[in-house]
């Protein structure tokens, strides 16, 4: 029987250098386990593209995304421990009933919060077509995007590794983590954009490497910011905000 993870999570401030370190560490992990990481990330990317075809597929993906994300994060932890990981492990969280309620609630909250963002973005696009953009609309759209990102950035990881079921606690912890580490996360974001440009200039072939590395790096940011500690016992994890 696989031992449970005992994780003690403490939200902390990390240095600016961490934004670089996460990508460097992710690259080292990717080089050792590139096959399974590529297969998992490309599958999820394919689902995202397919979701644009049908509203029904989009709803299914939105509901399934927390489970797939948790499965991917779990695989990263297993790889860090040099344990064997298979592509099928991506779906393992679907069979873990204790996470279904919180993940469905997270997915629903994400959808609800994206409704006003979609309205703002639609109006912004219309104004861009007309060549007249209201500064307050631009500011409101950017602010809404930033808020939603910070609220849900680490939500799945907190719910899964901490076994936290309270939605407001999860969202507050994710928001706090991002706010305390805006400098490191901003640097990480700039580096991600630069790597994304590499993917574009290579006619998107480079994304086969870039996307898995960035996905792993973002999970490593969670490990760093929340001071992740892994142990063999089943004691209750703690979260300090």
């Amino acid at each position: 029987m696989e031992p449970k993870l005992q994780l003690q999570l403490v939200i902390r401030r990390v240095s600016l250098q961490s934004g670089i370190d996460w990508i460097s560490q992710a690259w080292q992990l990717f080089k050792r386990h590139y096959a399974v990481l590529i297969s998992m990330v490309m599958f999820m990317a394919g689902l995202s593209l397919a979701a644009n075809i049908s509203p029904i597929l989009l709803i299914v993906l939105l509901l399934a995304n927390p489970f797939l994300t948790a499965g991917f994060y779990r695989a990263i932890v297993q790889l860090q421990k040099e344990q064997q990981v298979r592509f099928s492990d991506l779906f393992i969280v679907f069979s873990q009933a204790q996470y279904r309620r919180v993940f469905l609630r997270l997915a629903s909250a994400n959808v609800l919060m994206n409704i006003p963002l979609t309205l703002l973005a639609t109006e912004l696009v219309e104004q861009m077509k007309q060549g007249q953009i209201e500064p307050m609309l631009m500011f409101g759209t950017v602010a809404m995007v930033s808020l939603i990102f910070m609220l849900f950035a680490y939500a799945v990881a907190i719910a899964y590794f901490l076994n936290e079921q309270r939605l407001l606690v999860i969202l507050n912890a994710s928001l706090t983590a991002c706010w305390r580490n805006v400098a490191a996360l901003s640097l990480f974001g700039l580096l991600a954009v630069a790597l994304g440009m590499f993917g574009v200039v290579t006619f998107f072939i480079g994304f086969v490497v870039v996307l898995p590395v960035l996905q792993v790096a973002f999970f490593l940011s969670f490990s760093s910011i929340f001071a992740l500690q892994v142990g063999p016992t089943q004691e209750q994890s703690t979260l300090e905000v």
Side-chain angles (χ1 to χ4, degrees):
M1 180 177 178
E2 181 184 347
K4 289 284 186 178
L5 298 179
Q6 183 225 345
L7 304 175
Q8 184 171 7
L9 306 178
V10 178
I11 301 175
R12 63 176 185 172
R13 292 180 177 87
V14 299
S15 67
L16 183 64
Q17 176 67 28
S18 297
I20 300 174
D21 294 339
W22 298 330
I23 295 178
S24 176
Q25 294 165 12
W27 171 245
Q28 296 303 319
L29 188 67
F30 175 81
K31 287 193 299 182
R32 298 197 304 272
H33 308 285
Y34 60 87
V36 68
L37 290 173
I38 288 176
S39 64
M40 287 182 171
V41 172
M42 289 300 104
F43 174 79
M44 291 189 289
L47 286 181
S48 298
L49 293 175
N52 295 320
I53 300 175
S54 167
I56 296 179
L57 290 177
L58 178 59
I59 293 174
V60 172
L61 177 62
L62 290 174
L63 294 177
N65 185 64
F67 296 89
L68 295 174
T69 300
F72 182 69
Y73 288 167
R74 178 185 178 279
I76 295 174
V77 171
Q78 298 301 99
L79 292 175
Q80 287 179 308
K81 296 162 63 177
E82 297 299 331
Q83 296 183 0
Q84 183 179 4
V85 172
R86 298 169 296 179
F87 173 76
S88 59
D89 290 339
L90 183 65
F91 309 98
I92 198 168
V93 182
F94 283 102
S95 63
Q96 298 175 349
Q98 67 268 35
Y99 301 109
R100 291 172 187 165
R101 180 181 177 186
V102 66
F103 282 170
L104 291 176
R105 293 176 67 190
L106 279 174
S108 300
N110 200 343
V111 171
L112 289 175
M113 292 203 66
N114 272 281
I115 291 175
L117 175 60
T118 301
L119 296 176
L120 287 174
T122 301
E123 180 62 26
L124 183 61
V125 170
E126 289 299 320
Q127 291 190 7
M128 291 177 64
K129 291 179 179 178
Q130 299 172 5
Q132 296 179 344
I133 301 177
E134 296 181 12
M136 287 303 297
L137 179 62
M138 176 69 76
F139 174 80
T141 303
V142 172
M144 182 66 72
V145 169
S146 301
L147 177 61
I148 293 175
F149 169 78
M150 290 191 293
L151 284 170
F152 292 94
Y154 298 117
V156 170
I158 293 169
Y160 185 71
F161 290 107
L162 183 62
N163 292 318
E164 177 59 67
Q165 298 288 320
R166 294 168 295 177
L167 184 61
L168 292 181
V169 171
I170 293 171
L171 298 181
N172 180 61
S174 179
L175 177 64
T176 301
C178 292
W179 184 254
R180 288 183 182 177
N181 295 281
V182 64
L185 288 171
S186 296
L187 176 58
F188 173 77
L190 291 174
L191 293 174
V193 170
L195 290 173
M197 293 301 298
F198 169 75
V200 173
V201 299
T202 57
F203 301 98
F204 300 97
I205 297 176
F207 282 120
V208 174
V209 174
V210 170
L211 290 180
V213 169
L214 291 179
Q215 291 271 37
V216 173
F218 193 72
F219 175 76
L220 295 181
S221 75
F222 167 78
S223 300
S224 177
I225 291 172
F226 285 81
L228 208 64
Q229 298 177 4
V230 179
T233 69
Q234 300 185 25
E235 296 177 8
Q236 179 65 36
S237 303
T238 60
L239 174 66
E240 176 184 332
V241 180

